[in-house]
Amino acid sequence: MITDRSYAVEPWTVRETALDLDVLAQSESVFALSNGHVGWRGNLDEGEPHGLPGSYLNGVHEVHPLPYAEAGYGYPESGQTVIDITNGKILRLLVDDEPFDLRYGRLVAHERVLDLRRGVLERTCEWTSPAGSTVRVRSTRLVSLTQRAVAAVAYEVEAVDSRSRVVIQSELVANESLPEPDGDPRAARALKSPLEQEDHFASGNRLRLVHRTRRSGLRVAVAADHTVTGPERTTTRSESGIDVARLTVTSVLEPGQTLRVEKLVAHGWSGTRSLPAMADQVDAALAAAGHDGWQGLLDDQRACLDDFWARADVEVEGDEEIQQAVRFALFHVLQAGARAEQRAIPAKGLTGSGYDGHAFWDTEMFVLPVLTHTAPQAVAEALRWRHNTLDEARERAAQLGLAGAAFPWRTIAGPEGSAYWPAGTAAFHVNAGIADAVVRYVEATGDTDFERETGVELLVETARLWRSLGHHDTHGVFHLDGVTGPDEYSAVADDNTYTNLMARQNLLAAADAVERHPRVARRLGVDEEESAAWRDAADAMHVPYNEELGVHEQHAGFTRYQRWDFAGTRPDQYPLLLHFPYFDLYRKQVVKQADLVLAMYTCGEWFEQHHDEEQIARNFAYYEPLTVRDSSLSACCQAVMAARTGHLELAYAYTSEAALMDLQDLEHNTRDGLHIASLAGTWMALVAGFGGMRHDGERLRFAPRLPERLRRLAFTMQFRGRRLRVDIGADKVTYTLLDGPPLRLGHHGEPLTVGTDEPAVRAVPPVVRRPAPEQPPHRAPNSG
Ligand code: BGC
């Protein structure tokens, strides 16, 4: 775990001023660079020492059999796992015959800085070799947000006090050996040598390796080109072999002289393209990158991020840690989705191999809501990926005896990858999450082309699933029995409230969408009978309620269960899933992550229409002492609803937890990759929590209120082609429309219209005070 403050608290950078080899794997995740297509973990340039080497190309995976002790009908037979592709970031250094290895010699200084505005990772260090030669090494690395195949490194060595013979070996390396997994089921399986060599090439300063995965048959090509600047008599030599291609640069440096290598790396993969076509593809990408050169890449990266921050920045006054964390979070969320382009956005982005590189409902319910208001194009692309996998989802539904499409619980390429059906197959709510993301995106952008071409079909096929999965009972009430909601400490339960209410929204959205797009409806074979059946099911949806306690049930019968023995559970027995059998967790009142509480956020309108404020507050207070937050997805949801129910200090503590999840390694597994949903949740906690932002249809509403510690919270977001800035102080809020035609908003229930000519200023109403809810023993939120 990252204990003391590992990173300096600065508003636009994450700075590590000393190297701690014990937390190398964590910092590799924190310093990972990605554009959603290519991902480079923050491994040291020289490759070793490392925690977990990682270079990824979104979609490149290997398949493996899923063995079952007791197999059953409909169990997926094959799993998918992300693989480490050819590593293009390695630059090894030899100083007077001694390898530059931080474990030997003397490290005088070592600093790494992730610059969130320039989109680069910079490293500077001074090292004295065991033989006494001192060199300064500087490197700058980027994964281009503007040229999706391209990553680059500028590497510089300077002799400090004596004449030094230096050799830089710039390499492409395939099939690096990976550390053995430690048995945590959330880590990835390590496949040995997943790449078979097909072609290698080295000529002049150019290198290329082409490989193919053994079973999934994907071809992966990586190429590099170099610009070398050094003193006279600097020489270069290139060579290539089975799994390595290398450019060796040799020079003799007088004190103060430097040797610099700029390395451009291009990546490509395909399941269909031929070897020559792949070689050409990466060569062409290199040519395009070389055309602009290193400086061009740096300038474009900066311009791209300037544009992003102008649309997405969040300013926090009163807590510098949260200020840094929310920018770090937004940066990584952007990196995860920016150029994913019709591929999945995995739970870890491309920052590590945790969860085998799979994408879950995290994408649609946590990541896409942020991107909807900050980088909406990425949302359309992510949903097009789901659309591209519709055939597999239809097949899966048919296999399960259901209509429509059953999207996978976890996947890379589209097929279901979960071998544990109670929390995989039965977690049908992922379908409603996809529908929700479609609706949010279309409402927030007005992109009707997307709705017609992609959205309607996703809504229709998911609505069909719900209609066939559920049934009307003899009283006409609609039930979804035997499903698993977000809380994975309950499974295969009847009428999970979150699932039912999300399915209800999905059914209604599909019925509305086919009315707006009758031609698409006809093409999909939807008639009035069918859409009326969706509305009937939605209107008759059961929502379980315990009259005696006056609270909604997470699922039918949940509040009757015995409570978990929280008092008898030691702090070291969390997360419970690693210490207790699921069968026992399933039959007790204990909640892994926000479920009913999440429903009150994502289906807030239903609660507001059918119940009063006290009901929402009572529900929140009931589930708090049961919720152990063994998933990093929970704190941000609890933050939103704590703020909604007036528990502002509690909301603040949950916000800190979500925000610092990776910067402080709160779940002790940042080494496997960042928790992208929790990072996205930092924005959600601030904007939807303290900002109270919701959108109902095409209208945005806010209910801003700050906890005592925050003096000011200001955020910019996009909505229907406009940029809106919301600036919240302790007593007043200023809504400023930065561009576009006037926008109608809600402020604590009051309608208002804001135009670019004049900001609207409103007072913050006082908060209704309620007794603070309690958490299970040892599970109060970490307030950083
Ligand atoms: C959570 C899931 C989540 C998955 C990936 C699990 O621990 O319970 O809700 O989708 O992690 O982040």
Side-chain angles (χ1 to χ4, degrees), residues 252-265:
V252 176
L253 301 179
E254 299 297 336
Q257 279 189 324
T258 58
L259 176 63
R260 178 179 166 91
V261 177
E262 286 170 5
K263 177 181 194 181
L264 304 180
V265 186

Side-chain angles (χ1 to χ4, degrees), residues 347 355 360-362 409 486 488 592-593 630-631 633:
Y355 283 122
F360 295 73
W361 71 308
D362 307 34
W409 174 242
E488 294 184 344
K592 180 184 182 191
Q593 64 202 92
D630 279 353
S631 160
L633 272 54

Side-chain angles (χ1 to χ4, degrees), residues 337-365:
R339 304 300 305 270
E341 291 171 28
Q342 305 197 23
R343 295 282 161 207
I345 300 179
K348 305 282 177 194
L350 299 180
T351 67
S353 56
Y355 283 122
D356 279 320
H358 290 175
F360 295 73
W361 71 308
D362 307 34
T363 308
E364 282 81 10
M365 291 309 291

